[in-house]
Amino acid sequence: MSPEFEKEISLVTEKAYYYYSKTCSDSCVNPVICIHESMPLLQNGPQCGLVALSTAVAILDLKQKVRVQEWFDEAKAKGYTKQGELFSSQYIVDLVNHKIGKHAKLFKIQNLLEKTDCWKNSLNLSEKVDTILSSLLKKEIVLMPYDCDYNHEPALKKGHKSHWAVIIGFVIFSDHLSPLPLKEKTKITHPSGIVITVVDSIDDLSSISKEHIYVVCRQGKSKHLGVWPLLSLLASNSNLVEYPPSLLEDGNYILPTEGIDIALKDTFVVISKEIVG
């Protein structure tokens, strides 16, 4: 592991602890992280989906010579885009599977965020969170559409600021009284003295508090890594219900006729180095 990557891991952990400390007063925590090493890729115009796709493929080293322009040409030829926009998770899957083989799979998470007080404990939520975490532990990449705020964090804008995030890892915190069942890979000592455990396996995902999972993401509007509560990202994903009115009036974008609430809402894509069934 390079010194630069260790520094990046320390910074990511600091960002995750910022959120954790807002709701937990316990300062005696053990940060645990699973993360892919990656490079930023910035978009030029409305290319966030194509850039997310290129970023994921580059991380997995599937076919590095596929550039954003090549994905754009392929998407345009298929009638998926006019200017680089991709308003469908299925489009992402189709592009990957057609150009480099069956490495992508679409997941739907309908009714994930039920309008009840107990949605955080729902079985559906647990299953989908486990799918995301287990995918990352298996060295897969997760692409998720969401509403992007002015600072690139997840927002709730009904789909008017829809964007694509590339989830490359996650951070969790385990207190010393209830250690996680994990297999250690590497330990990094933060300048503060806190020891960060880098892992590629956790035996029991059900032992993790869903409210304290922080995903590490790249997205095409910044070279900096984003670190956000997973539940915030899922909530943003679940609020994609309508196209921006300006795009409907413009006419220069491909907007799937089924609507954003079907094409993007409650969906994510997992891209694997291995061929998927």
Side-chain angles (χ1 to χ4, degrees):
M1 185 180 295
S2 68
E4 292 78 12
F5 192 33
E6 287 192 12
K7 184 178 180 181
E8 191 169 67
I9 287 173
S10 292
L11 181 59
V12 162
T13 304
E14 287 177 16
K15 291 180 178 180
Y17 186 72
Y18 167 78
Y19 285 108
Y20 179 83
S21 62
K22 284 185 173 183
T23 55
C24 296
S25 58
D26 183 10
S27 60
C28 184
V29 294
N30 301 306
V32 176
I33 186 169
C34 168
I35 188 172
H36 286 276
E37 192 165 4
S38 64
M39 294 295 293
L41 180 61
L42 299 180
Q43 66 191 73
N44 181 17
Q47 297 178 329
C48 55
L50 298 174
V51 165
L53 177 53
S54 297
T55 300
V57 169
I59 292 171
L60 295 174
D61 196 24
L62 289 173
K63 194 174 181 181
Q64 292 185 353
K65 293 182 180 179
V66 181
R67 301 176 180 176
V68 173
Q69 183 62 45
E70 293 178 73
W71 289 118
F72 172 72
D73 292 342
E74 183 78 16
K76 192 171 184 180
K78 286 181 169 292
Y80 294 167
T81 189
K82 287 185 178 180
Q83 301 187 51
E85 74 286 352
L86 285 176
F87 280 99
S88 169
S89 293
Q90 186 62 56
Y91 290 172
I92 294 275
V93 173
D94 291 345
L95 287 169
V96 172
N97 293 347
H98 179 264
K99 197 164 187 67
I100 60 176
K102 294 186 177 181
H103 292 275
K105 185 175 181 180
L106 175 66
F107 287 83
K108 293 184 178 293
I109 46 179
Q110 292 98 328
N111 303 316
L112 179 61
L113 304 184
E114 299 170 357
K115 302 301 181 182
T116 66
D117 292 335
C118 62
W119 70 268
K120 291 180 182 178
N121 297 316
S122 71
L123 178 62
N124 197 19
L125 175 64
S126 296
E127 289 176 348
K128 300 314 175 184
V129 168
D130 287 357
T131 296
I132 292 169
L133 299 191
S134 62
S135 295
L136 295 168
L137 287 165
K138 289 187 293 186
K139 302 301 180 184
E140 297 171 333
I141 305 293
V142 180
L143 273 58
M144 183 173 291
Y146 76 106
D147 258 337
C148 180
D149 214 339
Y150 68 94
N151 58 0
H152 314 309
E153 293 183 0
L156 302 175
K157 298 183 181 293
K158 297 184 177 181
H160 292 194
K161 295 294 182 179
S162 54
H163 193 43
W164 280 94
V166 184
I167 307 177
I168 64 168
F170 64 87
V171 182
I172 53 179
F173 294 93
S174 172
D175 63 45
H176 64 287
L177 296 176
S178 55
L180 289 168
L182 51 84
K183 297 175 183 177
E184 297 178 6
K185 183 179 181 183
T186 305
K187 284 187 177 293
I188 298 171
T189 302
H190 187 271
S192 66
I194 293 176
V195 177
I196 305 167
T197 303
V198 183
V199 300
D200 57 13
S201 178
I202 298 177
D203 293 333
D204 183 14
L205 292 174
S206 65
S207 63
I208 301 173
S209 169
K210 293 183 288 294
E211 295 184 67
H212 301 304
I213 301 170
Y214 308 93
V215 285
V216 185
C217 301
R218 287 209 179 276
Q219 49 81 33
K221 294 183 178 181
S222 172
K223 65 180 181 178
H224 301 293
L225 286 170
V227 183
W228 314 314
L230 175 55
L231 292 187
S232 295
L233 183 59
L234 290 173
S236 182
N237 173 271
S238 193
N239 104 119
L240 302 175
V241 295
E242 60 186 37
Y243 293 119
S246 59
L247 297 193
L248 291 171
E249 298 169 2
D250 191 296
N252 290 317
Y253 297 88
I254 300 295
L255 306 177
T257 55
E258 65 267 30
I260 195 175
D261 56 325
I262 301 297
L264 289 182
K265 178 180 181 288
D266 295 332
T267 69
F268 62 91
V269 176
V270 173
I271 301 180
S272 172
K273 193 161 189 173
E274 307 299 326
I275 297 294
V276 297

